[in-house]
Amino acid sequence: MIIRIVKMTFKKDRVNDFAELFEARKQTIRNFQGCTHLELWQDSVLENVFFTYSHWSSVAELDHYRFSSFFKDTWGKTKALFAEKPKAWSVIRKSTTREDH
Protein backbone atom coordinates (compact mmCIF):
# COMPACT_ATOMS: atom_id res chain seq x y z
CA MET A 1 0.00 0.00 0.00
CA ILE A 2 1.14 3.52 -0.85
CA ILE A 3 0.08 6.54 1.17
CA ARG A 4 0.01 9.80 -0.75
CA ILE A 5 0.11 13.12 1.08
CA VAL A 6 -0.17 16.37 -0.88
CA LYS A 7 0.22 19.77 0.78
CA MET A 8 -1.51 22.63 -1.03
CA THR A 9 -1.48 26.33 -0.14
CA PHE A 10 -4.27 28.30 -1.75
CA LYS A 11 -4.83 31.96 -2.37
CA LYS A 12 -6.95 33.04 0.59
CA ASP A 13 -9.76 34.26 -1.62
CA ARG A 14 -9.86 30.91 -3.49
CA VAL A 15 -10.26 28.51 -0.54
CA ASN A 16 -14.01 28.18 -1.10
CA ASP A 17 -13.39 27.45 -4.79
CA PHE A 18 -11.09 24.60 -3.83
CA ALA A 19 -13.55 23.27 -1.24
CA GLU A 20 -16.30 23.18 -3.87
CA LEU A 21 -14.03 21.49 -6.41
CA PHE A 22 -12.93 18.84 -3.93
CA GLU A 23 -16.51 18.20 -2.83
CA ALA A 24 -17.62 17.73 -6.43
CA ARG A 25 -14.80 15.32 -7.29
CA LYS A 26 -13.99 13.41 -4.11
CA GLN A 27 -16.33 10.51 -4.83
CA THR A 28 -14.82 9.94 -8.27
CA ILE A 29 -11.35 9.91 -6.71
CA ARG A 30 -12.48 7.48 -4.00
CA ASN A 31 -13.94 5.20 -6.66
CA PHE A 32 -10.83 5.25 -8.83
CA GLN A 33 -9.26 1.83 -9.23
CA GLY A 34 -6.73 1.31 -6.47
CA CYS A 35 -7.86 4.13 -4.17
CA THR A 36 -8.86 2.62 -0.84
CA HIS A 37 -9.03 5.79 1.28
CA LEU A 38 -9.23 9.56 0.78
CA GLU A 39 -9.34 12.38 3.32
CA LEU A 40 -9.02 16.15 3.12
CA TRP A 41 -7.27 17.89 6.00
CA GLN A 42 -7.03 21.60 6.76
CA ASP A 43 -4.20 23.18 8.75
CA SER A 44 -5.34 24.13 12.26
CA VAL A 45 -3.79 27.61 12.03
CA LEU A 46 -3.38 28.51 8.36
CA GLU A 47 -6.87 28.19 6.92
CA ASN A 48 -5.64 28.28 3.32
CA VAL A 49 -3.37 25.23 3.73
CA PHE A 50 -4.86 21.83 2.95
CA PHE A 51 -3.57 18.28 2.67
CA THR A 52 -4.99 15.34 0.80
CA TYR A 53 -4.30 12.00 2.43
CA SER A 54 -5.00 8.94 0.32
CA HIS A 55 -4.22 5.23 0.26
CA TRP A 56 -3.47 3.40 -2.97
CA SER A 57 -3.13 -0.33 -3.51
CA SER A 58 0.09 0.12 -5.50
CA VAL A 59 2.37 2.66 -7.12
CA ALA A 60 1.07 1.50 -10.50
CA GLU A 61 -2.53 2.30 -9.55
CA LEU A 62 -1.55 5.68 -8.10
CA ASP A 63 0.31 6.44 -11.33
CA HIS A 64 -2.67 5.28 -13.39
CA TYR A 65 -4.77 7.86 -11.53
CA ARG A 66 -2.10 10.60 -11.77
CA PHE A 67 -1.84 10.19 -15.54
CA SER A 68 -5.60 9.96 -16.15
CA SER A 69 -7.56 12.64 -17.99
CA PHE A 70 -9.72 13.05 -14.87
CA PHE A 71 -6.67 13.89 -12.74
CA LYS A 72 -5.22 16.22 -15.36
CA ASP A 73 -8.49 18.16 -15.51
CA THR A 74 -8.86 18.26 -11.72
CA TRP A 75 -5.23 19.21 -11.13
CA GLY A 76 -5.37 21.93 -13.78
CA LYS A 77 -8.35 23.52 -12.03
CA THR A 78 -6.69 23.11 -8.62
CA LYS A 79 -3.33 24.59 -9.71
CA ALA A 80 -5.05 27.80 -10.80
CA LEU A 81 -5.97 28.39 -7.13
CA PHE A 82 -2.51 27.94 -5.60
CA ALA A 83 -0.61 30.63 -3.72
CA GLU A 84 2.49 28.40 -3.48
CA LYS A 85 3.91 25.38 -5.23
CA PRO A 86 2.40 22.17 -3.79
CA LYS A 87 4.46 19.47 -2.12
CA ALA A 88 3.73 15.75 -2.38
CA TRP A 89 5.00 12.61 -0.72
CA SER A 90 4.42 8.94 -1.47
CA VAL A 91 5.20 6.92 1.64
CA ILE A 92 4.90 3.40 3.00
CA ARG A 93 3.62 2.84 6.54
CA LYS A 94 6.25 1.04 8.58
CA SER A 95 4.40 0.73 11.87
CA THR A 96 1.25 1.76 13.65
CA THR A 97 0.63 2.75 17.22
CA ARG A 98 -2.42 3.03 19.39
CA GLU A 99 -2.59 5.92 21.77
CA ASP A 100 -4.54 5.30 24.95
CA HIS A 101 -6.20 8.35 26.49
Side-chain angles (χ1 to χ4, degrees), residues 7 10 17 20 28 34 43 52 55 57 61 68 74 81 86 91 98:
K7 178 185 178 189
F10 295 97
D17 295 331
E20 289 174 10
T28 301
D43 189 271
T52 55
H55 295 182
S57 297
E61 289 177 314
S68 71
T74 302
L81 310 174
V91 297
R98 181 169 182 250

Side-chain angles (χ1 to χ4, degrees), residues 66-101:
R66 290 179 57 224
F67 295 109
S68 71
S69 58
F70 174 79
F71 175 82
K72 289 176 185 177
D73 180 63
T74 302
W75 193 243
K77 288 177 166 79
T78 304
K79 281 175 37 175
L81 310 174
F82 287 152
E84 296 177 14
K85 185 176 178 178
K87 296 180 181 177
W89 300 268
S90 292
V91 297
I92 299 169
R93 178 180 291 145
K94 289 298 194 181
S95 68
T96 59
T97 60
R98 181 169 182 250
E99 296 178 16
D100 293 333
H101 296 281

Side-chain angles (χ1 to χ4, degrees), residues 32-33 56 59-69 71:
F32 219 92
Q33 182 178 336
W56 294 86
V59 172
E61 289 177 314
L62 171 60
D63 285 344
H64 177 73
Y65 166 71
R66 290 179 57 224
F67 295 109
S68 71
S69 58
F71 175 82

